[in-house]
Amino acid sequence: AQSVSQHNHHVILSEAASLELGCNYSYGGTVNLFWYVQYPGQHLQLLLKYFSGDPLVKGIKGFEAEFIKSKFSFNLRKPSVQWSDTAEYFCAVKRNTGFQKLVFGTGTRLLVSP
Amino acid sequence: DSGVTQTPKHLITATGQRVTLRCSPRSGDLSVYWYQQSLDQGLQFLIQYYNGEERAKGNILERFSAQQFPDLHSELNLSSLELGDSALYFCASSVATGGGSNAGELFFGEGSRLTVL
């Protein structure tokens, strides 16, 4: 079964710092990859997704992620974070065949100090 | 607003009791997913339904059951509750569940926070 690893459980940054959150998955076949964000007290929202094509995916709010197949990675990046980016970020993977569940990583809590 | 509605938002009950959590998916979405989020386990997939039929099962305990009704709303039943069942239970919905560009894009409700005392 596929699994997802997020190496950073807690990240603290100052505003304007650059962000990179790591995500690795364990499935060798074709996958769909996602980053979701959960702001404090809110539900999960989709930040961006990768299905095929350009491995550099741009999402909402200035976020982007790069799919590196050889490394089984899908790291999330933002050049300059804002206080409002304080949230929990979840990487997720789904096999691209039939009825497959979406498997989430354990999440990374990001705290951006003003 | 994701369009997914969950009730109740908060629920406090005692060990040994039974509760039912309800989810109404986005209009037009056929797939419903249930996830459990706890501090120590993260976001765990429980079960998925597609147009009334169970399609995938995750780490769902035997004390838990779910169903999706003809009107596509879903209920998650939790019985013989234990302290460790305290968690945030999320429902999500999606248009489809196979491959393709929309597959896997889940829309989440705000969750039902269950506290077992």
Side-chain angles (χ1 to χ4, degrees):
Chain A
Q2 69 267 35
S3 65
V4 181
S5 297
Q6 291 182 244
H7 315 296
N8 315 103
H9 297 292
H10 293 89
V11 173
I12 302 174
L13 295 172
S14 299
E15 274 194 317
S18 64
L19 170 72
E20 181 160 3
L21 301 182
C23 173
N24 287 91
Y25 64 94
S26 67
Y27 181 65
T30 303
V31 294
N32 303 139
L33 298 158
F34 307 81
W35 276 97
Y36 279 81
V37 61
Q38 186 177 23
Y39 297 104
Q42 295 188 26
H43 58 84
L44 280 82
Q45 304 170 44
L46 183 68
L47 263 184
L48 47 79
K49 61 185 178 184
Y50 171 81
F51 285 87
S52 62
D54 189 345
L56 186 60
V57 179
K58 295 193 183 299
I60 61 172
K61 304 187 181 187
F63 286 91
E64 65 178 30
E66 186 176 10
F67 170 51
I68 302 179
K69 189 174 182 180
S70 61
K71 295 184 178 180
F72 298 90
S73 70
F74 190 56
N75 292 354
L76 180 71
R77 299 195 293 249
K78 186 171 183 177
S80 175
V81 294
Q82 301 172 312
W83 175 78
S84 58
D85 293 325
T86 294
E88 189 159 14
Y89 293 82
F90 293 90
C91 181
V93 63
K94 176 184 177 296
R95 294 185 193 180
N96 190 24
T97 52
F99 292 95
Q100 300 291 343
K101 61 187 179 184
L102 187 62
V103 177
F104 284 85
T106 51
T108 297
R109 287 183 184 270
L110 172 65
L111 175 63
V112 180
S113 57
Chain B
D1 183 8
S2 66
V4 177
T5 304
Q6 288 188 249
T7 57
K9 286 187 170 27
H10 300 276
L11 190 56
I12 301 174
T13 188
T15 55
Q17 296 298 305
R18 182 178 188 275
V19 298
T20 297
L21 310 180
R22 183 188 168 97
C23 169
S24 293
R26 288 190 323 156
S27 177
D29 284 358
L30 299 179
S31 282
V32 170
Y33 309 74
W34 286 98
Y35 284 83
Q36 179 193 57
Q37 185 180 35
S38 58
L39 285 175
D40 56 344
Q41 299 264 346
L43 201 60
Q44 296 286 317
F45 170 73
L46 294 178
I47 198 163
Q48 175 199 351
Y49 282 83
Y50 176 76
N51 204 20
E53 294 186 9
E54 182 185 305
R55 284 299 184 180
K57 214 165 185 176
N59 301 322
I60 188 166
L61 300 171
E62 285 191 12
R63 299 184 285 109
F64 296 179
S65 65
Q67 54 184 328
Q68 185 180 27
F69 295 86
D71 66 353
L72 301 178
H73 92 271
S74 177
E75 292 181 356
L76 179 67
N77 300 298
L78 315 175
S79 61
S80 303
L81 285 168
E82 302 175 359
L83 296 177
D85 298 327
S86 295
L88 192 55
Y89 291 85
F90 282 109
C91 170
S93 71
S94 69
V95 171
T97 187
S101 61
N102 284 328
E105 181 170 354
L106 272 59
F107 295 85
F108 282 82
E110 294 189 357
S112 293
R113 184 171 294 281
L114 172 66
T115 302
V116 182
L117 302 175

